[in-house]
């Protein structure tokens, strides 16, 4: 039997096999019991010892070559199938996913955060007080007794239990003085509520930031300088600000600060030197300490900073307004 012929024919057939089934059939045909190779091996018995050894070795080499060819073709078919699968079921993992919708801060919150940052840089601590206040903190301790007509300056939402929605952030002055004592440097940002008619510059719920500094030898100059510095930093330019005399029961003397925008003066901030009675109510000795306080409308500051014409945009339902404040 021609071993080289068997080998050549088998390798060619294996190379041409198209699938595993064909390969299996070729394995039977060329290596099975009825194969020419098996017949050739059986015939070895008829040869003499030397020729048998030689022919046996050759036959085994042919067998090994066929086995290896079967193995290699099997592997090639497998990788061909895997390649086809990968092409068919291709998945592009590098395609960017659709970004989740991100929210952003409200313009008033942005300004409030900037204010907090600026004041912290000047050594102020940030303290918050409750929205639902009692009459004592909102009025009495601030030198506004029950009978006093100036209570009418703060149109109050009274609650049925005798408490109220704080009309300003000033009650936090008392809470902070009692908690921290003197010297003290603090701001109190937060919402306040007034039962008043809503128009382009007034809302029933708005945001204030109160400031309180208590130390030895504090004078109005400290107050004016601090306010100017803060306003310039927030509005990003030298602001045109005026201070005029005013009245608040809890400061003496009292001032009002207006700033000019587009030819109009806008009331922005009430302030003054902390009244001795208020220091006393806060447990601080007015003979030893003096201080200043101010209360600024963050909403109005935000109007000016962004050139917004109506305070009602802030809490209106038109999201297109708010969406302008998202960062890119
Ligand atoms: N609480 C005052 C108001 O809401 C503002 C103010 C605060 C005035 C502190 C003086 C000192 O109108």
């Amino acid at each position: 039997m021609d071993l080289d012929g068997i080998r050549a024919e088998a390798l060619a057939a294996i190379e041409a096999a198209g699938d595993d089934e064909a390969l299996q059939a070729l394995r039977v045909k060329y290596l099975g019991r009825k194969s020419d190779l098996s017949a050739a091996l059986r015939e070895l018995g008829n040869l003499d010892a030397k020729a048998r050894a030689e022919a046996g070795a050759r036959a085994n080499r042919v067998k090994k070559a066929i086995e290896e060819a079967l193995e290699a073709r099997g592997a090639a078919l497998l990788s061909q199938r895997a390649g086809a699968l990968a092409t068919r079921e291709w998945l592009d993992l590098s395609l960017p996913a659709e970004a989740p919708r991100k929210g952003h801060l409200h313009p008033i919150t942005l300004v409030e955060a900037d204010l907090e940052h600026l004041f912290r840089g000047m050594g102020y601590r940030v303290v918050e007080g409750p929205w639902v206040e009692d009459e004592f903190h909102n009025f009495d301790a601030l030198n506004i007794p029950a009978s006093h007509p100036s209570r009418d300056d703060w149109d109050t939402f009274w609650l049925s239990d005798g408490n109220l929605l704080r009309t300003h952030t000033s009650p936090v002055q008392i809470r902070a003085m009692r908690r921290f004592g003197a010297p003290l440097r603090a701001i109190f940002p937060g919402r306040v509520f007034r039962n008043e008619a809503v128009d382009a510059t007034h809302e029933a719920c708005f945001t204030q930031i109160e400031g309180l500094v208590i130390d030895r030898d504090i004078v109005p100059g400290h107050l004016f300088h601090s306010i100017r510095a803060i306003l310039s930093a927030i509005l990003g330019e030298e602001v045109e600000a005026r201070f005029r005399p005013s009245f608040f029961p809890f400061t003496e003397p009292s001032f009002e600060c207006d700033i000019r925008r587009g030819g109009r003066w806008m009331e922005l901030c009430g302030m003054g030197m902390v009244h001795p009675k208020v220091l006393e109510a806060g447990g601080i000795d007015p003979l030893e300490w003096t201080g200043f306080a101010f209360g600024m409308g963050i909403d109005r500051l935000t109007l000016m900073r962004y050139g917004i014409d109506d305070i009602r945009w802030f809490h209106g339902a038109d999201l297109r307004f708010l969406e302008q404040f998202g960062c890119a």
Side-chain angles (χ1 to χ4, degrees):
M1 186 67 215
D2 172 13
L3 283 172
D4 287 336
I6 294 174
R7 178 191 161 135
E9 184 192 314
L11 295 195
I14 289 167
E15 195 48 47
D19 56 32
D20 283 345
E21 225 173 303
L23 270 189
Q24 190 48 37
L26 291 174
R27 178 182 294 279
V28 172
K29 180 172 176 191
Y30 290 108
L31 297 178
R33 268 183 300 116
K34 292 180 189 158
S35 63
D36 292 346
L37 188 61
S38 294
L41 286 165
R42 271 194 301 276
E43 281 169 19
L44 290 179
N46 303 331
L47 301 176
D48 63 44
K50 187 162 175 266
R52 190 183 332 146
E54 194 184 308
R58 276 182 58 218
N60 273 324
R61 278 202 298 278
V62 170
K63 188 180 174 196
K64 192 154 178 263
I66 293 175
E67 278 170 348
E68 281 171 6
L70 285 166
E71 182 99 353
R73 185 61 188 153
L77 286 174
L78 180 66
S79 93
Q80 242 174 46
R81 275 201 312 278
L85 188 72
T87 313
R88 218 169 41 243
E89 315 220 331
W90 182 75
L91 210 56
D92 184 357
L93 296 177
S94 71
L95 196 67
E98 203 176 306
R101 260 177 75 96
K102 258 207 276 181
H104 58 83
L105 297 177
H106 191 279
I108 292 176
T109 311
L110 292 173
V111 172
E112 187 180 322
D114 282 356
L115 284 166
E116 282 191 29
H117 179 75
L118 285 165
F119 278 113
R120 277 188 206 277
M122 294 166 77
Y124 289 69
R125 65 163 83 218
V126 182
V127 181
E128 284 188 89
W131 294 358
V132 172
E133 260 299 2
D134 52 51
E135 200 176 344
F136 172 77
H137 286 92
N138 197 84
F139 290 125
D140 299 86
L142 294 171
N143 195 29
I144 318 172
S147 59
H148 201 281
S150 79
R151 274 209 184 188
D152 299 342
D153 293 347
W154 289 275
D155 308 271
T156 308
F157 287 113
W158 290 93
L159 304 177
S160 51
D161 61 2
N163 286 326
L164 50 87
L165 296 183
R166 68 177 183 191
T167 58
H168 50 181
T169 41
S170 299
V172 196
Q173 287 190 33
I174 304 297
R175 295 181 179 278
M177 283 190 257
R178 292 185 167 196
R179 187 160 144 211
F180 302 108
L184 178 60
R185 215 183 294 182
I187 49 164
F188 324 121
R191 292 202 168 186
V192 301
F193 308 86
R194 290 199 198 161
N195 188 2
E196 59 183 28
V198 171
D199 64 24
T201 51
H202 295 85
E203 271 273 25
C205 165
F206 56 102
T207 313
Q208 283 189 332
I209 186 162
E210 187 98 2
L212 177 65
V213 171
I214 295 173
D215 212 320
R216 298 175 204 279
D217 306 321
I218 295 289
V219 297
H222 295 125
L223 170 57
F224 300 146
H225 172 80
S226 306
I227 295 291
R228 273 189 201 283
I230 287 293
L231 291 181
S232 302
I234 279 291
L235 298 175
E237 57 186 77
E238 265 318 297
V239 287
E240 205 180 335
R242 71 179 179 195
F243 297 91
R244 55 191 166 80
S246 184
F247 171 78
F248 297 100
F250 35 92
T251 46
E252 180 59 34
S254 302
F255 310 92
E256 196 98 40
C257 171
D258 308 323
I259 57 182
R260 179 134 88 159
R261 273 301 156 108
R264 261 178 16 142
W265 289 101
M266 196 181 214
E267 229 175 71
L268 187 69
C269 186
M271 63 185 88
M273 304 306 290
V274 182
H275 195 290
K277 283 197 176 166
V278 174
L279 289 171
E280 265 168 15
I284 290 174
D285 182 358
L287 296 178
E288 193 180 347
W289 305 95
T290 53
F292 68 71
F294 59 86
M296 205 181 282
I298 297 184
D299 308 55
R300 290 188 177 182
L301 204 51
T302 309
L303 290 183
M304 287 180 215
R305 165 138 141 192
Y306 297 113
I308 299 163
D309 59 0
D310 196 314
I311 206 166
R312 288 166 291 191
W313 284 111
F314 288 142
H315 301 116
D318 194 338
L319 288 182
R320 291 173 307 171
F321 167 74
L322 291 179
E323 278 161 4
Q324 301 174 87
F325 298 91
C327 3

